[in-house]
Amino acid sequence: MRMKELPADFKRALPVLKEIEQAGYEAYFVGGSVRDHILGLPIHDVDIATSAYPEEIKEIFKHTVDTGIQHGTVTVLFGGSSYEITTFRTESGYQDYRRPDEVTFVRSLEDDLKRRDFTINALALDRNGEVIDKFDGLKDLNNHLIRAVGKAEERFNEDALRMMRAVRFQSQLNFRIEDKTAEAIKSNAHLLEKIAVERTREEFIKMMLGQAWQIGFSDFLRFKLCEFAPGMREHSTLLHKLIELKPVEFLDEDSVWVAIGFALKLSDHDLNKLLRVWKVSNKTRETSLATYEMLELFSNQNFDIWEIYNLGIDNFERAAKLCQLFSIKMEYDKISKSIEQIPIKSSHDLAITGNDLIKILNITPGPEIGKMLKNVEKAVVEENVCNNFDELKVYVLSNR
């Protein structure tokens, strides 16, 4: 297969390939960028593979950085851009089921492509637009199939995270996992426990944010990967509820965790515990818990504008989207309008400060100041008083 027109990202990198070839070596675009261009999707990263060894690349280009030289990767700074260039390699020995114990640099493109995870990712593209396809990746792309390169059992024993990548690609591309690859995932699902939580979480969230997340999540459950993911083994039955919901896409990672907590009917405490087990960031954990509480308020149809404000008005759209997912009725337009009319976005917007209260009331600093400011903030949010200094001063004096 020959591409009629290379995308702009590839065109900008063509001089790099040309320099390598003029030095007597092979160089190709490889991996996800080739796959995505064929599928008509945006390209995120341009990866280049070459028969030149790292030291040879450093001789060809003046400006380089040893970003992962032990694995054959050198970053080349060229024409105002940076490109990661990796030497063709083979790998062996995967005692931790993630990283190879030994990397051997080779001159063969086919040997390099042979170590890749799936056929759709084992494609190479030369600078003339010719696609090199050694493992029927183009056929699998056309058939919307995710198939392991070679023996699936071997690929997943080399790197157990590839099982999560399979369901992630399934979700992002709306593809089907080929039968032998699927069977190998089922047989090796237990190896997921060998993988660092952070790496599993990254693939899990990418899967859940995909266009066909319910398909990917369905196989995440069907292949028993959920039983070896942090904190999910005892919840596999309830997690099936998510598959039956409306096909609503998640806005962000926070939405994913809130949906999981709501489907499992977790308490705030238990959701917090689950988030800690998955080692999410503090910011994600705080936002998720606030959105979760807001969703519960909407579900119970018992809330006021002060509660929404306290849980963070920035979380409203996320909670509203999750209401769609769980078929929770809410007066979106009415609530949205009420939120727009809130005079302040946070306590920092108040026209009066704690120091002002001390002077106005002639009192000493203490916890009472914080309580008074909170009362003033609530009064402003509920539009019982205007947010200007003079009116707030009168309000404070009349409510001391």
Side-chain angles (χ1 to χ4, degrees):
M1 173 184 174
R2 181 183 290 272
M3 293 185 181
K4 294 180 180 178
E5 182 76 16
L6 293 180
D9 289 343
F10 284 167
K11 284 182 178 178
R12 279 192 294 270
L14 285 177
V16 176
L17 269 64
K18 189 175 181 180
E19 288 283 334
I20 297 172
E21 290 179 356
Q22 286 179 341
Y25 304 103
E26 297 176 32
Y28 305 90
F29 298 115
V30 293
S33 60
V34 179
R35 175 201 69 222
D36 288 344
H37 178 60
I38 293 171
L39 291 173
L41 299 173
I43 293 173
H44 299 292
D45 297 304
V46 174
D47 294 320
I48 297 172
T50 179
S51 61
Y53 289 0
E55 291 304 322
E56 293 165 339
I57 287 294
K58 291 166 74 172
E59 288 176 5
I60 297 170
F61 298 97
K62 291 181 180 179
H63 305 291
T64 63
V65 180
D66 295 353
T67 44
I69 199 163
Q70 71 274 21
H71 294 112
T73 301
V74 175
T75 296
V76 169
L77 309 176
F78 188 91
S81 298
S82 62
Y83 301 96
E84 284 195 354
I85 301 178
T86 304
T87 300
F88 298 158
R89 68 181 193 248
T90 59
E91 301 171 344
S92 59
Y94 297 81
Q95 292 185 26
D96 64 356
Y97 298 95
R98 180 74 184 101
R99 293 177 296 271
D101 297 330
E102 185 177 346
V103 171
T104 303
F105 301 144
V106 295
R107 301 290 190 185
S108 165
L109 172 64
E110 183 169 355
D111 286 345
D112 182 77
L113 296 177
K114 195 182 295 182
R115 69 176 176 81
R116 310 261 168 177
D117 51 7
F118 306 111
T119 60
I120 59 174
N121 296 332
L123 300 169
L125 177 71
D126 69 19
R127 65 187 181 94
N128 297 313
E130 191 68 38
V131 177
I132 293 88
D133 178 17
K134 302 289 186 179
F135 304 100
D136 288 332
L138 290 173
K139 180 180 178 182
D140 287 338
L141 276 181
N142 190 53
N143 292 327
H144 291 190
L145 269 185
I146 298 167
R147 182 197 310 271
V149 173
K151 295 182 179 179
E153 290 270 349
E154 293 179 4
R155 297 293 82 77
F156 299 141
N157 272 269
E158 289 167 353
D159 182 354
L161 191 64
R162 286 171 170 167
M163 297 183 290
M164 285 299 302
R165 284 170 59 82
V167 290
R168 187 252 283 188
F169 285 128
Q170 184 181 24
S171 166
Q172 289 179 324
L173 302 175
N174 198 10
F175 279 19
R176 183 176 69 83
I177 297 177
E178 178 265 338
D179 292 343
K180 288 183 180 178
T181 303
E183 286 301 319
I185 295 175
K186 289 180 190 176
S187 302
N188 293 279
H190 62 282
L191 296 179
L192 190 61
E193 288 184 312
K194 308 285 186 182
I195 302 300
V197 172
E198 295 87 347
R199 302 305 299 271
T200 301
R201 186 190 68 235
E202 183 180 354
E203 295 298 331
F204 178 75
I205 293 301
K206 285 180 179 178
M207 175 189 75
M208 295 301 285
L209 295 180
Q211 59 168 324
W213 67 267
Q214 282 163 312
I215 295 173
F217 189 67
S218 176
D219 276 352
F220 173 75
L221 299 176
R222 185 166 67 93
F223 298 154
K224 307 297 183 186
L225 289 168
C226 62
E227 296 188 10
F228 304 98
M232 288 191 171
R233 176 170 293 179
E234 65 271 28
H235 298 305
S236 58
T237 302
L238 284 176
L239 284 171
H240 277 85
K241 289 185 177 181
L242 286 173
I243 305 168
E244 301 162 7
L245 299 175
K246 292 180 179 179
V248 175
E249 290 187 23
F250 294 111
L251 288 177
D252 50 26
E253 178 180 354
D254 310 304
S255 301
V256 172
W257 296 120
V258 174
I260 289 171
F262 200 80
L264 298 181
K265 300 179 180 178
L266 298 180
S267 65
D268 292 2
H269 172 79
D270 287 337
L271 177 58
N272 186 34
K273 187 177 176 182
L274 179 67
L275 294 173
R276 288 186 181 278
V277 169
W278 276 89
K279 297 185 178 180
V280 306
S281 69
N282 288 336
K283 186 178 186 302
T284 295
R285 187 165 53 84
E286 290 167 7
T287 303
S288 298
L289 290 169
T291 305
Y292 188 58
E293 194 171 339
M294 191 180 292
L295 181 64
E296 288 182 315
L297 290 176
F298 291 150
S299 177
N300 296 329
Q301 300 292 312
N302 182 25
F303 59 89
D304 57 37
I305 200 67
W306 174 241
E307 288 177 304
I308 295 174
Y309 170 85
N310 271 309
L311 291 171
I313 55 180
D314 289 341
N315 296 324
F316 171 69
E317 290 297 336
R318 185 183 303 106
K321 191 84 170 178
L322 288 165
C323 283
Q324 292 180 34
L325 179 68
F326 288 101
S327 299
I328 296 170
K329 292 182 179 179
M330 65 173 294
E331 296 179 293
Y332 175 84
D333 291 338
K334 181 180 178 181
I335 299 171
S336 184
K337 187 176 181 180
S338 297
I339 289 174
E340 287 176 9
Q341 291 174 344
I342 296 175
I344 59 175
K345 301 303 178 186
S346 75
S347 59
H348 298 296
D349 297 329
L350 282 176
I352 201 166
T353 67
N355 286 331
D356 293 329
L357 293 183
I358 292 170
K359 292 175 183 176
I360 294 167
L361 300 173
N362 193 25
I363 56 177
T364 56
E368 286 301 314
I369 301 297
K371 291 178 182 177
M372 288 180 187
L373 275 177
K374 202 68 180 175
N375 288 335
V376 170
E377 185 181 2
K378 184 178 182 183
V380 171
V381 168
E382 293 179 343
E383 298 186 88
N384 294 323
V385 62
C386 290
N387 186 37
N388 68 66
F389 182 81
D390 291 335
E391 292 201 33
L392 291 178
K393 181 179 177 180
V394 172
Y395 179 84
V396 168
L397 288 169
S398 60
N399 288 275
R400 60 182 305 176

